[in-house]
Amino acid sequence: MAEVIVFPQLEIPDTIAAGPGPGNTDPRVLQRFASAGMADHMQADVLRGMVESKLMLREIMGTANVHTFGVAGTGWSGLDCLFSAVLPGDKVVVFVNGTFSGIDGLTLRMKAATAEELAASPLDPKAASVTVVSVPHGQSVTGEIVQAALAKHQPKWAAMTHWETGSGRINDLRGFSDACQAYDVMGLIDAVSSLGVEDFRIDDYPGVDGWASCPQKGICCLPLTYAPVSFTDRYIQNLRRTGCRTFVHHPILEARHWGIIDGKDAEKGVYHRTHSAYAVAAFHEALRITLQQTVAGRAKSYAFHEAALRDAVTAAGCKVTSNMTSLVVLNLPDSLKGREMELVQACRAKGFGIWPTLSEPVQVRIGILNLLNQRAITDIVTRFVGAMNEMGAGIDMKQIGERLEEQYQAAVAAE
Ligand SMILES: *Cc1c(COP(=O)(O)O)cnc(C)c1O
């Protein structure tokens, strides 16, 4: 008889999520998650929680789009729903300037590939109808780049990542939206790392017809709860005409459980799939937190603390190449060049969860998701500079610490 192995109970330590995401789940979210009772996906309070979440999400995203709801899963789940209306042979232009926009490009090539193109290269199809416009790592996609590509290719769809988390670069959303409007293209935006971090309203970008984000970055909820998505009536009308090849991520069908039926708000949702009372309770609390602190208030706080972190690592000899406010992407001082992975691994081994870049060139990424206070930023700087010093960087930690303290004192004085 084969021996049955029961492993010891799984223990996972608490670490500092100082990377591009997932961020530090808010304690209030964890508390709601753990306090939800056992209830099925058609229980009245679960359905009410979903309807309330839908309404709060519209407020946070700044939209009157009826089709605004959460897709169970993470960012890629929301993006899969977003890209679901792209059918084989559809003409698409996608802008790629890092790891995540690169995967968006792959997703679109998979969806737009013909059966023959997919069979020829199943994991990396070369779809003739998809144009990938590549922008070098560390640079932003500009309005001019988008304008030129849409003028040349006249696609049905255009896709761009708002904040490219791979390289820490902000792309020109205004330019993208304007170009989509000018060429009558339906714009699709990966807003996975910008929602809840930057102060913007999606309805101010009329060239964009679909948006997708994630639970665990700016929204500070748990991964595998809900990825926010929003679709204009134009997107939905197009989808009604063409259909799409998914049940679970179908934007019209999935919206039903959130009480969006026949394009209108219903009192409560109807069955689409099983939802989790825990996930609904956590997501609902995360949205409450964002609204209580306000999107504008959080955006201001991110900008302030990112500037403090950027100043400190620059003073320590690093070169920052990013411009996102939730993430610093940097090159190490010359003396440590080539030792990025070693440094990241040393930090991670101590529960300080920073990240390397996932595609070339190798850089270090330090994030501050839901770490918006002086104590947290000081801890990050101390650990990071300490790790560089252990590798022989010889940085004057005291001077860096004093400089950081001065910035915070000046901010307090200015209040
Ligand atoms: C994190 C991220 C994703 C992927 O999200 P998951 O939650 O890992 O599925 C996609 N796009 C961007 C821009 C991201 O930052």
Side-chain angles (χ1 to χ4, degrees), residues 305-320:
H305 292 288
E306 189 268 349
L309 173 61
R310 170 187 292 262
D311 177 81
V313 295
T314 302
C318 299
K319 185 168 179 288
V320 176

Side-chain angles (χ1 to χ4, degrees), residues 20-22 73-79 99-101 103-104 161-166 190-194 212-217 223-224 227 324 365:
T74 63
W76 295 128
S77 316
L79 285 156
T99 312
F100 295 97
S101 46
I103 299 175
D104 286 335
T161 299
H162 184 196
W163 287 16
E164 169 51 70
T165 327
D190 172 345
V192 168
S193 61
S194 56
S213 189
C214 85
Q216 76 281 357
K217 287 175 182 167
L224 296 177
M324 281 171 54
R365 296 186 295 163

Side-chain angles (χ1 to χ4, degrees), residues 32-50:
R32 284 292 91 201
F33 185 87
S35 305
M38 199 63 168
D40 66 45
H41 54 286
M42 297 311 286
Q43 191 273 341
D45 297 300
V46 174
L47 289 178
R48 176 172 59 86
M50 292 178 75

